[in-house]
Amino acid sequence: MTTDIIKGVAARIYEILGRSAGKIYTGEVPQGYSPPCFFIEVLNTATEHVLGDRYLETVNLMVSYFAPERPDGTVDHMKLQETGDVLKAALEYIKAAGNLTRGTDISAAEGDGAVHVAVTYEVFTLVPREEIPLMETLTQTQGTKEGD
C-alpha cells in the first residue's frame, strides 16, 4: 500500500502543478539533480491489527520541493512559500489504489533552499487469512443433570 500512496502523491502533484513543475524522485536521489524537482521520502510506516483480517496502515511522508536558483545564485523564498501552500492543499486528498485517501497532520517548513511538507496517510487494508477446513461431522448427545 505504501507504493500506491507514493504513486498517488506523485500523480496529485502533477495534476495540480503540471509536468513543468519538475521531476519527481521517489527513490535514491541522484547526484547532481537539477531543480525544480520534488523528492517523496517515506519517513516511517506502521501497521496495526484492528479486527479479524483488517489492518490500519499508517504512512508518514515528506515531500520536498527544490526551486530553481535565481541568476545571482539565491533561492526565491516567495516561490518556496507559494509552492508549500499549494502542496499542503493538494496533498489533503489523493487517490491510492483507486480509493480517495485523506492526508492528516499536514505541515510545511522551509530550510536548506527547499520547502518540506510532511503528511500522514492512514489506510485500512484486508489481509486474507488461510482458510481452515470445517469439521465434516459432529455427533452430540445431550441429557439433563438428573439423568433423564
Side-chain angles (χ1 to χ4, degrees):
M1 184 50 83
T2 302
T3 56
D4 291 331
I5 291 174
I6 292 170
K7 289 176 185 175
V9 168
R12 184 70 174 149
I13 290 171
Y14 281 143
E15 179 185 338
I16 296 298
L17 298 172
R19 296 265 179 200
S20 62
K23 185 167 174 63
I24 296 176
Y25 298 99
T26 58
E28 291 289 322
V29 179
Q31 198 70 358
Y33 64 90
S34 59
C37 61
F38 295 87
F39 296 106
I40 302 174
E41 177 184 6
V42 177
L43 299 178
N44 60 21
T45 63
T47 304
E48 177 184 346
H49 182 244
V50 179
L51 180 66
D53 58 354
R54 195 169 179 199
Y55 290 82
L56 177 64
E57 187 170 344
T58 304
V59 179
N60 294 309
L61 296 178
M62 179 74 69
V63 179
S64 301
Y65 171 71
F66 288 84
E69 292 181 350
R70 295 179 181 157
D72 63 358
T74 61
V75 176
D76 186 355
H77 293 283
M78 293 301 288
K79 176 69 173 167
L80 287 178
Q81 287 296 333
E82 177 184 310
T83 305
D85 291 341
V86 170
L87 280 175
K88 285 191 304 184
L91 296 179
E92 183 175 3
Y93 290 100
I94 64 166
K95 285 188 181 176
N99 297 315
L100 195 61
T101 305
R102 185 170 186 263
T104 59
D105 300 328
I106 302 172
S107 62
E110 186 182 334
D112 299 329
V115 62
H116 308 281
V117 178
V119 61
T120 300
Y121 295 100
E122 293 182 338
V123 180
F124 285 101
T125 58
L126 297 175
V127 178
R129 302 240 185 240
E130 179 183 333
E131 288 191 29
I132 301 171
L134 301 174
M135 286 190 294
E136 292 183 19
T137 60
L138 174 66
T139 305
Q140 180 180 348
T141 55
Q142 61 185 12
T144 62
K145 205 173 189 179
E146 287 78 30
D148 289 330

